[in-house]
Amino acid sequence: MSKVNIGVIGLGGVGGFYGGLLAHHFEDEEQVDIHFVARGAHGEQIKRHGLTVQSKDRVIVAKPARVVENVQDLGKMNFILLCTKEYDLDEVIVDLKEIVSKNTVILPLLNGVEAFEKLDRELEAEVWQGCTYMVSRLKEPGVIDNPSGRQKIVFGRTERITPLMLQVNHLLQAAGITSFCTQDIAKEVWEKYILVSSSAVATTFYNCSFGVVMRDHTATIRTLVTEASAVAQAKGVHLTEDIVEVIMERLAAIPFDSTTSMHSDFTSNKVQTELEVMAGYLIREGKRLQTEVQTYQKMYAMLKDKQGNYTL
């Protein structure tokens, strides 16, 4: 087997955790090299001391084959795990165009659903759909923390599983990553997106935790879930008939005091947030598909005015 080069772009909570597991497992494996893109203090710490990954039951120090500052410096990769924020995607696509070919596989693990559509449309590479289930964060430069230890990647392309997908799945699982490839990936990705989109908009709009949203604003969150589900179905995604109840049950199971990353970004008065990913995209698709998303539109308009100046 020829050498497999895997690039990890976006070394935050998601990319850092999965990239760390891969780099640690394949550190002494001659046939697989893991390459990180990381800048600043985070990148320097990894270069000097490795990437520390803390989990519920263990701590590892991962040492990748290379740490580079720019995507272009990766060079030719067989497989790219893309874990940036979606608002950075357009810039990353420009950089990726310089290094990918039709033989490059890209697996985006971003919160939204638009990333796959953009990458598949604009790049010559083979792009798969994917999503991940985990709670992990960049604790400090060079340190990733996943306190629960829970993690899962689901990926694939609609209506087909290829030998290459099975090979990548084997590599991920060998590194201790819980992963599955599926032909029904659009359903998986949209189910997650409906949950994260509705909860991000609601927690940010009401400036509160998951628990408070579910207790005090049940009707609104249900409407958001219903509107997002309608857009998915209008796009041809085959959701189950009870999808609204399924998502509501999952939301109710999230710890009471937890919140969303978009809510945290707003409370930190960040200018760049995931508002376009979590609401703007749905509104644009709703308009294109003539599907009502009035609650999303109302909340989006008010949050747009408060972005970077969040004083509710």
Side-chain angles (χ1 to χ4, degrees), residues 222-261:
R222 180 181 291 275
T223 301
L224 290 171
V225 170
T226 301
E227 289 181 356
S229 300
V231 171
Q233 290 166 332
K235 287 175 69 68
V237 180
H238 300 296
L239 301 174
T240 58
E241 291 183 2
D242 62 344
I243 185 61
V244 174
E245 296 307 320
V246 168
I247 299 299
M248 291 296 289
E249 288 177 8
R250 291 179 184 175
L251 287 167
I254 295 172
F256 189 94
D257 292 327
S258 299
T259 191
T260 60
S261 59

Side-chain angles (χ1 to χ4, degrees), residues 16-43:
F17 181 81
Y18 290 128
L21 291 186
L22 287 164
H24 182 258
H25 179 77
F26 291 111
E27 182 178 348
D28 298 320
E29 173 60 62
E30 293 184 359
Q31 294 302 315
V32 181
D33 277 349
I34 311 299
H35 311 262
F36 290 170
V37 178
R39 302 186 181 98
H42 190 38

